[in-house]
Amino acid sequence: MSEIAAERKHTASFSFRALGRALETGGPLIALVLLMIVGSLMSDRFLTADNLSNVLTRSAIIGIIAVGATFVITAGGLDLSVGSLSALVAGLAILFMNNLTAAFGTGWEIVAAGILFSVFIGAAAGFLNGAMIVKGRVEAFIVTLGTMGIFRSLVTWLADGGSISLDFSLRDVARPIYYGQLGGITVPILVLLAIVVVGEIVLRRVRFGRHVAAIGSNRHVAVYSAIPVDRVRILTYVIQGVCVAIASAIYVPRLGTVTPSTGLMWELEAIAAVIIGGTALGGGFGRIWGTIAGVLILGFISNILNLTGIVSPYLNGAFQGAIIIIAVLVQRDRSRG
């Protein structure tokens, strides 16, 4: 009898562990589904095609940035400057395109050049952050907190405290980048899907992705494993910068202007989405699809607040901050267990 009881106890324990792993793996998706059910019960407009399309399109901007943040955080890093960098990249791109328009006239070539210019600036800023962190041996929190202030101040200076506006002759040309559709799906969503697929493949199937996870898990062991730690860490920040640039290039046609408040708190949303998605804040493990689930959770929470008016949408930042704290506490308790 004792052997049978022990076997049953072992089976039950194994079942609970398996259930726990399943919930841990699929937790973000389960939460997303439950949130959508709650939203549909609270508002008749929630599941309409227009509302879902609007939420997904707006969330795509943060989603693109969050994909880059997944690489940085998985490698054990952190980037607090992404919101300010978004504003700086957008402002410089607008000024660049306006000057080209004055010299060469209006055309899609000007917009294409502006996008390439944005990617260059984003990659350069990411490299700057990464190099100061890795080669300067300064904590990522300190470096990116500093560059966050620098980037935001530069935008304020360029805008002279006001706004930087895209030339009106370019607005119709650039408009499809945000409002255009292909097969009924908006361009930002399609771009996000493409970046998610590439990001998931790189993080899971490519040697670089395995190196990123190894460095985040134990940087010193990675060094002895002949992994080019410094190069990989810097590249994660370059990826973050490129993702910020792509998101900024898509965002510019939405309003056609950039102000010193553009991108404010985007770093909080991106980090919250990454943590909600199951990526370990201390590094060593990350998943792109989980990050996107986190982005959608945040987007739908904000949408439900707007549709129902139960709580002021101005409290979105409070919700996001609370979610980060709770997720980190859960991760800490799990690692102790």
Side-chain angles (χ1 to χ4, degrees):
M1 288 295 292
S2 60
E3 293 182 0
I4 296 175
E7 184 178 351
R8 288 178 177 176
K9 184 178 180 180
H10 175 74
T11 302
S13 176
F14 177 79
S15 298
F16 279 118
R17 288 198 300 271
L19 179 60
R21 285 194 296 268
L23 290 175
E24 182 180 345
T25 301
L29 294 179
I30 295 172
L32 180 59
V33 171
L34 292 176
L35 183 62
M36 294 189 70
I37 293 173
V38 171
S40 65
L41 294 175
M42 296 180 68
S43 175
D44 294 335
R45 293 178 293 166
F46 180 74
L47 289 181
T48 60
D50 287 341
N51 183 64
L52 292 178
S53 178
N54 288 335
V55 173
L56 292 175
T57 301
R58 290 196 300 268
S59 298
I61 305 298
I62 298 299
I64 293 170
I65 295 174
V67 169
T70 304
F71 281 90
V72 171
I73 293 175
T74 301
L78 187 68
D79 193 343
L80 300 176
S81 68
V82 294
S84 300
L85 179 58
S86 298
L88 179 61
V89 169
L92 290 174
I94 288 176
L95 293 174
F96 178 74
M97 289 187 287
N98 287 347
N99 288 330
L100 287 182
T101 299
F104 303 104
T106 303
W108 64 266
E109 300 91 346
I110 304 297
V111 176
I115 294 174
L116 292 176
F117 179 77
S118 298
V119 172
F120 172 76
I121 295 297
F127 178 81
L128 178 65
N129 276 338
M132 287 190 293
I133 292 166
V134 176
K135 299 300 183 182
R137 301 186 183 279
V138 182
E139 289 295 328
F141 175 84
I142 299 300
V143 170
T144 57
L145 185 65
T147 54
M148 177 177 68
I150 293 171
F151 296 156
R152 186 71 65 184
S153 294
L154 287 174
V155 175
T156 306
W157 173 65
L158 290 172
D160 196 22
S163 62
I164 304 173
S165 299
L166 185 65
D167 193 291
F168 278 97
S169 62
L170 280 176
R171 295 196 179 191
D172 288 338
V173 179
R175 184 180 174 83
I177 296 175
Y178 185 86
Y179 293 100
Q181 295 186 358
L182 183 62
I185 303 175
T186 60
V187 171
I189 298 175
L190 293 173
V191 173
L192 174 62
L193 289 174
I195 291 176
V196 166
V197 170
V198 173
E200 185 69 21
I201 291 173
V202 171
L203 195 58
R204 294 292 184 188
R205 305 294 182 184
V206 178
R207 181 182 301 174
F208 172 79
R210 293 193 292 271
H211 287 176
V212 168
I215 292 169
S217 181
N218 193 315
R219 191 185 309 168
H220 301 293
V221 172
V223 170
Y224 290 114
S225 300
I227 294 175
V229 173
D230 288 356
R231 185 173 65 188
V232 171
R233 291 178 67 200
I234 291 174
L235 280 175
T236 60
Y237 286 94
V238 172
I239 291 172
Q240 175 73 94
V242 170
C243 288
V244 168
I246 294 172
S248 302
I250 294 173
Y251 180 80
V252 165
R254 181 187 179 192
L255 300 176
T257 61
V258 170
T259 68
S261 62
T262 296
L264 195 63
M265 301 299 286
W266 282 7
E267 57 278 346
L268 180 63
E269 292 186 61
I271 294 171
V274 173
I275 302 306
I276 292 171
T279 294
L281 185 59
F285 176 78
R287 51 189 183 192
I288 302 295
W289 67 264
T291 292
I292 300 307
V295 169
L296 295 179
I297 288 171
L298 293 176
F300 283 130
I301 288 175
S302 177
N303 183 242
I304 292 171
L305 293 179
N306 287 327
L307 291 176
T308 61
I310 294 177
V311 180
S312 172
Y314 295 117
L315 291 174
N316 281 347
F319 278 101
Q320 293 161 5
I323 288 171
I324 289 177
I325 294 172
I326 293 170
V328 171
L329 289 174
V330 169
Q331 286 188 4
R332 185 193 63 179
D333 293 340
R334 186 187 301 147
S335 63
R336 286 180 176 178

